Amino acid sequence: MLNLVLFGPPGAGKGTQAEFLIDTFDLIHLSTGELLRSEIAAGTELGKKANEFMAKGNLVPDEVVIEMIKGKLATNPDTKGFIFDGFPRTVNQAKALDKLLNENGTPISAMLCLEVEKEELIKRLLTRGQISGRVDDQNQKIIENRIQVYRNKTEPIIEYYHPQNKHHTIDGMGSIEEIAERVKKVVEKL
Ligand code: B4P
Protein backbone atom coordinates (compact mmCIF):
# COMPACT_ATOMS: atom_id res chain seq x y z
CA MET A 1 0.00 0.00 0.00
CA LEU A 2 1.29 3.45 -0.94
CA ASN A 3 0.42 6.07 1.69
CA LEU A 4 1.73 9.54 0.89
CA VAL A 5 1.67 12.70 2.99
CA LEU A 6 1.65 15.73 0.69
CA PHE A 7 3.19 18.49 2.74
CA GLY A 8 4.02 22.19 2.44
CA PRO A 9 2.83 25.68 3.34
CA PRO A 10 -0.54 27.07 2.20
CA GLY A 11 -0.37 27.59 -1.56
CA ALA A 12 2.59 25.22 -2.04
CA GLY A 13 0.58 23.17 -4.55
CA LYS A 14 -0.58 20.26 -2.38
CA GLY A 15 -4.12 20.06 -3.77
CA THR A 16 -2.83 20.76 -7.27
CA GLN A 17 -0.19 18.01 -7.25
CA ALA A 18 -2.59 15.58 -5.56
CA GLU A 19 -4.66 15.63 -8.78
CA PHE A 20 -1.69 14.24 -10.74
CA LEU A 21 -0.86 11.63 -8.11
CA ILE A 22 -4.41 10.26 -7.96
CA ASP A 23 -4.41 9.63 -11.73
CA THR A 24 -0.85 8.28 -11.97
CA PHE A 25 -0.84 5.97 -8.95
CA ASP A 26 -4.56 5.25 -8.50
CA LEU A 27 -4.78 6.50 -4.91
CA ILE A 28 -7.59 7.96 -2.82
CA HIS A 29 -7.26 11.69 -2.13
CA LEU A 30 -8.02 12.81 1.42
CA SER A 31 -7.86 16.59 1.74
CA THR A 32 -8.89 17.80 5.19
CA GLY A 33 -9.32 21.32 3.76
CA GLU A 34 -11.80 20.04 1.17
CA LEU A 35 -13.60 17.83 3.69
CA LEU A 36 -13.98 20.77 6.07
CA ARG A 37 -15.19 23.09 3.29
CA SER A 38 -17.88 20.58 2.31
CA GLU A 39 -19.03 20.41 5.96
CA ILE A 40 -19.26 24.23 5.94
CA ALA A 41 -21.19 24.21 2.66
CA ALA A 42 -23.62 21.62 4.07
CA GLY A 43 -24.15 23.77 7.17
CA THR A 44 -23.36 20.93 9.62
CA GLU A 45 -22.45 21.54 13.28
CA LEU A 46 -18.87 20.41 12.48
CA GLY A 47 -18.78 22.87 9.58
CA LYS A 48 -20.00 25.76 11.73
CA LYS A 49 -17.33 25.04 14.33
CA ALA A 50 -14.57 24.64 11.69
CA ASN A 51 -15.53 27.88 9.95
CA GLU A 52 -14.75 29.93 13.08
CA PHE A 53 -11.12 28.81 12.81
CA MET A 54 -10.68 28.62 9.03
CA ALA A 55 -12.02 32.10 8.27
CA LYS A 56 -9.22 33.57 10.42
CA GLY A 57 -6.54 31.30 8.97
CA ASN A 58 -6.19 29.25 12.15
CA LEU A 59 -6.10 25.46 12.49
CA VAL A 60 -9.26 23.55 13.31
CA PRO A 61 -8.86 21.58 16.61
CA ASP A 62 -6.98 18.27 16.24
CA GLU A 63 -9.81 16.07 17.54
CA VAL A 64 -12.20 17.33 14.84
CA VAL A 65 -9.90 16.51 11.90
CA ILE A 66 -8.64 13.23 13.37
CA GLU A 67 -12.24 11.95 13.74
CA MET A 68 -12.96 13.00 10.16
CA ILE A 69 -9.92 11.12 8.78
CA LYS A 70 -10.70 8.06 10.88
CA GLY A 71 -14.12 7.80 9.24
CA LYS A 72 -12.64 8.10 5.73
CA LEU A 73 -9.99 5.41 6.34
CA ALA A 74 -12.65 3.01 7.57
CA THR A 75 -14.84 3.50 4.48
CA ASN A 76 -12.01 2.75 1.97
CA PRO A 77 -10.44 -0.56 3.14
CA ASP A 78 -9.56 -1.90 -0.35
CA THR A 79 -7.63 1.03 -1.82
CA LYS A 80 -4.06 0.88 -3.21
CA GLY A 81 -3.25 3.77 -0.89
CA PHE A 82 -4.10 7.29 0.25
CA ILE A 83 -2.78 10.76 -0.43
CA PHE A 84 -3.07 12.79 2.75
CA ASP A 85 -3.28 16.41 1.62
CA GLY A 86 -3.19 19.06 4.34
CA PHE A 87 -3.11 16.37 7.03
CA PRO A 88 -1.30 15.99 9.39
CA ARG A 89 -0.89 19.66 10.28
CA THR A 90 0.37 19.21 13.87
CA VAL A 91 2.69 16.64 15.49
CA ASN A 92 -0.35 15.42 17.44
CA GLN A 93 -2.17 14.71 14.17
CA ALA A 94 0.92 12.92 12.77
CA LYS A 95 1.03 10.64 15.82
CA ALA A 96 -2.71 9.96 15.61
CA LEU A 97 -2.40 9.11 11.90
CA ASP A 98 0.45 6.67 12.59
CA LYS A 99 -1.65 5.00 15.27
CA LEU A 100 -4.61 4.59 12.90
CA LEU A 101 -2.46 3.27 10.04
CA ASN A 102 -0.42 0.92 12.22
CA GLU A 103 -3.62 -0.71 13.42
CA ASN A 104 -4.09 -1.81 9.77
CA GLY A 105 -0.38 -2.56 9.19
CA THR A 106 -0.21 0.09 6.43
CA PRO A 107 2.20 2.84 7.57
CA ILE A 108 3.08 6.10 5.81
CA SER A 109 5.40 5.39 2.85
CA ALA A 110 6.73 8.94 2.41
CA MET A 111 6.23 12.59 3.23
CA LEU A 112 6.61 14.79 0.14
CA CYS A 113 7.46 18.32 1.16
CA LEU A 114 6.89 21.06 -1.46
CA GLU A 115 9.19 24.05 -0.95
CA VAL A 116 8.01 27.45 -2.24
CA GLU A 117 9.11 31.02 -1.50
CA LYS A 118 6.77 33.14 0.67
CA GLU A 119 6.13 35.84 -1.99
CA GLU A 120 5.07 33.15 -4.47
CA LEU A 121 2.71 31.55 -1.90
CA ILE A 122 0.97 34.87 -1.28
CA LYS A 123 0.70 35.57 -5.01
CA ARG A 124 -0.85 32.13 -5.75
CA LEU A 125 -3.37 32.34 -2.91
CA LEU A 126 -4.49 35.90 -3.71
CA THR A 127 -4.94 34.84 -7.35
CA ARG A 128 -7.05 31.86 -6.29
CA GLY A 129 -9.02 34.13 -3.92
CA GLN A 130 -10.17 36.22 -6.88
CA ILE A 131 -11.98 33.24 -8.43
CA SER A 132 -12.65 30.73 -5.64
CA GLY A 133 -14.58 32.93 -3.24
CA ARG A 134 -12.56 31.38 -0.37
CA VAL A 135 -12.46 34.02 2.39
CA ASP A 136 -9.13 32.71 3.70
CA ASP A 137 -7.56 33.41 0.26
CA GLN A 138 -8.79 36.96 -0.15
CA ASN A 139 -6.99 38.87 2.55
CA GLN A 140 -3.20 39.16 2.73
CA LYS A 141 -3.21 39.41 6.56
CA ILE A 142 -5.13 36.12 6.86
CA ILE A 143 -2.80 34.46 4.34
CA GLU A 144 0.24 35.66 6.31
CA ASN A 145 -1.32 34.26 9.49
CA ARG A 146 -1.78 30.88 7.75
CA ILE A 147 1.88 30.89 6.73
CA GLN A 148 2.91 31.78 10.30
CA VAL A 149 0.70 29.03 11.74
CA TYR A 150 2.38 26.65 9.27
CA ARG A 151 5.86 27.70 10.49
CA ASN A 152 4.91 27.38 14.18
CA LYS A 153 2.65 24.34 14.29
CA THR A 154 3.00 22.37 11.07
CA GLU A 155 6.66 22.58 10.07
CA PRO A 156 7.80 20.75 13.27
CA ILE A 157 6.24 17.62 11.74
CA ILE A 158 9.35 17.42 9.51
CA GLU A 159 11.35 16.53 12.64
CA TYR A 160 8.87 13.72 13.26
CA TYR A 161 9.19 12.07 9.83
CA HIS A 162 12.86 12.85 9.12
CA PRO A 163 14.37 10.28 11.56
CA GLN A 164 12.09 7.65 9.99
CA ASN A 165 13.74 8.41 6.57
CA LYS A 166 10.35 9.36 5.16
CA HIS A 167 10.97 13.07 4.52
CA HIS A 168 11.59 14.05 0.87
CA THR A 169 11.95 17.68 -0.23
CA ILE A 170 10.71 18.77 -3.66
CA ASP A 171 11.30 22.14 -5.32
CA GLY A 172 7.76 23.56 -5.63
CA MET A 173 8.74 26.58 -7.75
CA GLY A 174 8.04 26.47 -11.50
CA SER A 175 5.17 25.27 -13.67
CA ILE A 176 2.59 22.77 -12.36
CA GLU A 177 3.79 20.21 -14.95
CA GLU A 178 7.47 20.61 -14.02
CA ILE A 179 6.67 20.07 -10.35
CA ALA A 180 4.43 17.08 -11.14
CA GLU A 181 7.38 15.49 -12.96
CA ARG A 182 9.63 16.01 -9.88
CA VAL A 183 6.99 14.53 -7.56
CA LYS A 184 6.50 11.52 -9.85
CA LYS A 185 10.25 10.78 -9.91
CA VAL A 186 10.40 10.70 -6.11
CA VAL A 187 7.33 8.44 -5.80
CA GLU A 188 8.56 6.02 -8.47
CA LYS A 189 11.75 5.45 -6.46
CA LEU A 190 9.90 4.52 -3.26
P1 B4P B 1 -6.23 23.63 2.75
O1 B4P B 1 -7.47 23.38 1.99
O2 B4P B 1 -5.35 22.45 3.00
O3 B4P B 1 -5.55 24.80 1.91
P2 B4P B 1 -4.10 25.20 1.42
O4 B4P B 1 -3.07 25.01 2.47
O5 B4P B 1 -4.28 26.56 0.87
O6 B4P B 1 -3.65 24.24 0.24
P3 B4P B 1 -4.31 23.83 -1.12
O7 B4P B 1 -3.91 22.42 -1.29
O8 B4P B 1 -5.76 24.08 -1.19
O9 B4P B 1 -3.76 24.80 -2.24
P4 B4P B 1 -2.60 24.59 -3.31
O10 B4P B 1 -1.36 24.84 -2.56
O11 B4P B 1 -2.71 23.32 -4.10
O12 B4P B 1 -6.53 24.29 4.19
C1 B4P B 1 -7.40 25.38 4.38
C2 B4P B 1 -7.68 25.61 5.87
O13 B4P B 1 -8.39 24.46 6.42
C3 B4P B 1 -6.49 25.75 6.81
O14 B4P B 1 -5.99 27.07 6.84
C4 B4P B 1 -7.09 25.28 8.17
O15 B4P B 1 -7.84 26.31 8.76
C5 B4P B 1 -8.04 24.19 7.78
N1 B4P B 1 -7.43 22.85 7.86
C6 B4P B 1 -7.22 22.01 6.79
N2 B4P B 1 -6.64 20.86 7.21
C7 B4P B 1 -6.48 20.97 8.55
C8 B4P B 1 -5.91 20.12 9.54
N3 B4P B 1 -5.39 18.93 9.23
N4 B4P B 1 -5.89 20.54 10.83
C9 B4P B 1 -6.41 21.72 11.17
N5 B4P B 1 -6.95 22.59 10.27
C10 B4P B 1 -6.99 22.23 8.98
O16 B4P B 1 -2.89 25.71 -4.40
C11 B4P B 1 -2.97 27.08 -4.13
C12 B4P B 1 -3.15 27.85 -5.44
O17 B4P B 1 -1.90 27.89 -6.13
C13 B4P B 1 -4.15 27.26 -6.44
O18 B4P B 1 -4.93 28.26 -6.98
C14 B4P B 1 -3.29 26.62 -7.51
O19 B4P B 1 -3.89 26.64 -8.79
C15 B4P B 1 -2.06 27.50 -7.49
N6 B4P B 1 -0.84 26.78 -7.86
C16 B4P B 1 -0.47 25.56 -7.42
N7 B4P B 1 0.71 25.22 -7.96
C17 B4P B 1 1.10 26.28 -8.77
C18 B4P B 1 2.24 26.54 -9.59
N8 B4P B 1 3.22 25.65 -9.72
N9 B4P B 1 2.31 27.72 -10.22
C19 B4P B 1 1.31 28.63 -10.11
N10 B4P B 1 0.20 28.44 -9.35
C20 B4P B 1 0.10 27.28 -8.69
Side-chain angles (χ1 to χ4, degrees):
M1 200 161 171
L2 186 64
N3 284 326
L4 303 173
V5 170
L6 209 43
F7 194 81
K14 301 182 293 287
T16 309
Q17 293 304 326
E19 300 292 322
F20 282 89
L21 285 166
I22 303 163
D23 291 345
T24 315
F25 298 100
D26 195 15
L27 304 172
I28 289 187
H29 182 202
L30 291 182
S31 158
T32 39
E34 271 175 28
L35 292 170
L36 291 166
R37 280 187 290 278
S38 52
E39 295 282 343
I40 294 173
T44 64
E45 279 310 308
L46 193 159
K48 282 179 201 156
K49 189 173 178 197
N51 195 33
E52 290 171 25
F53 298 91
M54 291 170 74
K56 294 181 192 145
N58 293 322
L59 294 181
V60 174
D62 284 345
E63 58 276 15
V64 175
V65 277
I66 292 166
E67 263 322 293
M68 224 169 52
I69 285 287
K70 203 170 166 181
K72 292 289 165 187
L73 291 178
T75 50
N76 294 287
D78 299 323
T79 177
K80 288 185 183 164
F82 293 96
I83 299 176
F84 297 97
D85 162 7
F87 181 86
R89 255 184 165 89
T90 62
V91 174
N92 235 349
Q93 291 182 16
K95 288 181 181 167
L97 179 61
D98 269 359
K99 193 160 171 266
L100 288 173
L101 293 176
N102 288 338
E103 279 166 13
N104 305 331
T106 55
I108 290 294
S109 316
M111 173 217 212
L112 312 174
C113 184
L114 294 165
E115 296 188 325
V116 177
E117 290 161 14
K118 187 178 175 189
E119 291 66 32
E120 173 69 12
L121 298 174
I122 295 173
K123 197 173 95 190
R124 288 182 190 176
L125 293 174
L126 285 173
T127 307
R128 180 169 67 185
Q130 286 169 6
I131 35 174
S132 71
R134 271 178 64 170
V135 275
D136 59 344
D137 282 347
Q138 290 175 18
N139 176 308
Q140 185 153 344
K141 279 222 167 84
I142 294 175
I143 291 174
E144 289 193 5
N145 182 45
R146 287 161 66 193
I147 296 172
Q148 198 52 45
V149 169
Y150 170 80
R151 301 276 176 240
N152 295 343
K153 297 195 173 160
T154 306
E155 220 167 31
I157 299 177
I158 293 175
E159 298 309 317
Y160 179 76
Y161 286 112
H162 193 78
Q164 305 177 36
N165 293 324
K166 291 181 178 170
H167 170 228
H168 301 261
T169 55
I170 295 166
D171 179 4
M173 298 287 287
S175 76
I176 290 172
E177 293 74 20
E178 281 166 350
I179 300 159
E181 205 43 50
R182 289 175 205 145
V183 172
K184 193 172 149 211
K185 276 195 185 137
V186 173
V187 177
E188 279 172 347
K189 279 194 202 146
L190 291 174

